[in-house]
Amino acid sequence: MRSFEVPFRLVAGSSAPTRLDVDVVLPGAGTVWVGPLALRSLADQHAGAWWSDRTGGLIGGVAGTMLGLTGAILGAFVARRTHRSLVLRATAVLAVGGLVILTVAVLALASSQPYAVWYPLVLGGGLSMIVFGGSVALRDMHTPTPSCVGCALPTSRAPDDASGSWGLPARIGDHPHRRPGSSGRCDSLAGRMRLLRFRHGERIATGAVQPGSDTVQVIAGTFFEDPLPTGEEVSIDDVMLLAPVLPSKLVCVGKNYAAHAAEFGMEVPDEPLLFLKPSTAVIGPDDPIRLLPINDRTDYEGELAVVIGRLARNVRAEDASRFILGFTCANDVTLRDLQRTDDQWTKAKGFDGSCPLGPWIETSVDPTDAFVETRLNGDVVQRASTSEMVFGVAELIEYITTFMTLLPGDVLLTGTPEGVGRVRARDVVEVEVEGVGTLRNRVTGP
């Protein structure tokens, strides 16, 4: 079989046939009809290549954008979990997102894909990654920090309806923070709960108990530093409750109930009367209240205590609830004889063990109308509503933070109702706050 080349020239702009009948003259054989040849014009070839490039570029761009978003989301997730610095967040976004894009680009080149496919893929992916990832990083940096860093614990919020109901945060922040507070919740704890510190075996840990449950969800870290469930659960019957928080200081309010001021023959102050207790004053539920030989009379004073959730300075009353982690019970144990003779109350109010706290922190309580009740050996000796306080919780936080910074974990004791009285060795004092629980301590001799 012999093959021949047939010269054929197409003039640009001319319409070329798609079929051509060819007669070939062979020496000594005469004329041979070869038959129709199917031809594809250069214009058709160009149009096909253009369509191929356009389709590939479109597919590459869309795929790149989607991959860029995926990389940016992964990068933002890593950044939010690891760093709070804007530079480090942005670096994490670019590093993780860029790794995704680079991997796809290398695979495209290795498979000999045309530039029309992988170039738009990388370009679209990179741009979407930078725009989306950068916006996430900037948003996180400018979102207020929640009561708990990392958006794991709920904070109370002010009433947002006519009923005056103190609702739960939309996200363990409606988060005042975050996220690391997110307006939506992450995989951490959420909703109404009791937060507690406890001893289980040889270890001390923190945990949360959901309403109606008797199981403690163990938390890694503290209530204020990335508190995330570990997945471990223990029965509340198997743990020993400790003071729910270890504050840097306790800010206390005196004569905040008119009836209590009257029982001591005093007037209600024009502004909050404050004093401090040191951190060493704190003891937990069932810890003994020890009488001291330097004093003849020691009194109980049951109170509602407020646990601060995040750094608070120059807080407006209407924003105060955003800085509250929750509420607990307190007993402002007082060496009454020394209080009457000392100009300062440091010794009378700040001695070791002078502030039992517990049994836990309740995250959802209405502090404007909750009953505070103290029982001595089972008999009710104090009972009043927080609505009778001269200065409410929000007003107190606003006043205090004008001159003093409250740190996460600090405790505010809001004052005691009338009915304070003496305790003696072997007495049992119980302080109950409506919606929180009961703090119980036994009195021991010096």
Side-chain angles (χ1 to χ4, degrees), residues 238-271:
D238 296 333
V239 305
M240 183 178 75
L241 296 178
L242 305 175
V245 67
L246 298 176
S248 71
K249 58 184 172 293
L250 300 102
V251 184
C252 312
V253 185
K255 296 188 288 186
N256 201 28
Y257 287 80
H260 171 60
E263 73 177 337
F264 281 86
M266 300 178 181
E267 298 293 330
V268 173
D270 293 331
E271 60 183 36

Side-chain angles (χ1 to χ4, degrees), residues 167-390:
L168 292 176
R171 146 208 196 174
I172 133 178
D174 158 66
H175 243 206
H177 7 350
R178 161 144 296 230
R179 221 173 177 32
S182 4
S183 32
R185 284 232 72 81
C186 61
D187 59 353
S188 59
L189 305 176
R192 178 180 179 179
M193 67 188 73
R194 291 173 173 173
L195 309 176
L196 47 89
R197 288 179 63 249
F198 61 91
R199 182 185 296 277
H200 184 244
E202 297 300 318
R203 64 168 177 163
I204 293 176
T206 55
V209 178
Q210 303 292 343
S213 173
D214 58 359
T215 299
V216 180
Q217 296 173 269
V218 180
I219 298 172
T222 69
F223 301 134
F224 314 99
E225 292 294 333
D226 294 327
L228 296 173
T230 64
E232 179 185 0
E233 296 184 347
V234 296
S235 172
I236 196 169
D237 296 331
D238 296 333
V239 305
M240 183 178 75
L241 296 178
L242 305 175
V245 67
L246 298 176
S248 71
K249 58 184 172 293
L250 300 102
V251 184
C252 312
V253 185
K255 296 188 288 186
N256 201 28
Y257 287 80
H260 171 60
E263 73 177 337
F264 281 86
M266 300 178 181
E267 298 293 330
V268 173
D270 293 331
E271 60 183 36
L273 173 63
L274 303 179
F275 59 93
L276 298 177
K277 284 179 178 278
S279 59
T280 50
V282 174
I283 59 175
D286 295 317
D287 286 343
I289 299 172
R290 301 185 186 280
L291 302 178
L292 300 181
I294 60 175
N295 175 79
D296 288 334
R297 173 170 172 167
T298 301
D299 285 7
Y300 57 79
E301 294 187 6
E303 306 188 17
L304 166 71
V306 182
V307 181
I308 300 301
R310 58 191 206 136
L311 189 146
R313 174 72 175 171
N314 293 322
V315 176
R316 297 180 301 173
E318 56 267 32
D319 297 328
S321 62
R322 299 177 58 200
F323 294 81
I324 297 173
L325 176 64
F327 305 87
T328 190
C329 308
N331 188 349
D332 176 19
V333 182
T334 303
L335 304 179
R336 194 67 71 192
D337 291 343
L338 295 182
Q339 184 188 25
R340 289 168 176 162
T341 58
D342 288 352
D343 291 335
Q344 297 292 329
W345 295 353
T346 302
K347 191 188 302 183
K349 294 278 193 177
F351 62 94
D352 289 352
S354 63
C355 191
L357 287 178
W360 43 61
I361 300 169
E362 176 61 60
T363 61
S364 181
V365 173
D366 181 357
T368 66
D369 188 17
F371 276 96
V372 178
E373 179 178 288
T374 305
R375 296 184 291 273
L376 181 64
N377 300 322
D379 297 327
V380 177
V381 290
Q382 288 184 293
R383 181 172 171 80
S385 171
T386 55
S387 62
E388 301 174 38
M389 292 194 300
V390 178

Side-chain angles (χ1 to χ4, degrees), residues 119-176:
Y119 182 76
L121 185 150
V122 175
L123 181 62
L127 290 177
S128 62
M129 179 188 68
I130 292 172
V131 172
F132 179 83
S135 65
V136 170
L138 288 173
R139 184 199 67 185
D140 288 347
M141 290 301 299
H142 289 85
T143 308
T145 302
S147 61
C148 46
V149 178
C151 105
L153 294 175
T155 55
S156 301
R157 66 181 179 190
D160 53 9
D161 54 43
S163 68
S165 169
W166 283 64
L168 292 176
R171 146 208 196 174
I172 133 178
D174 158 66
H175 243 206

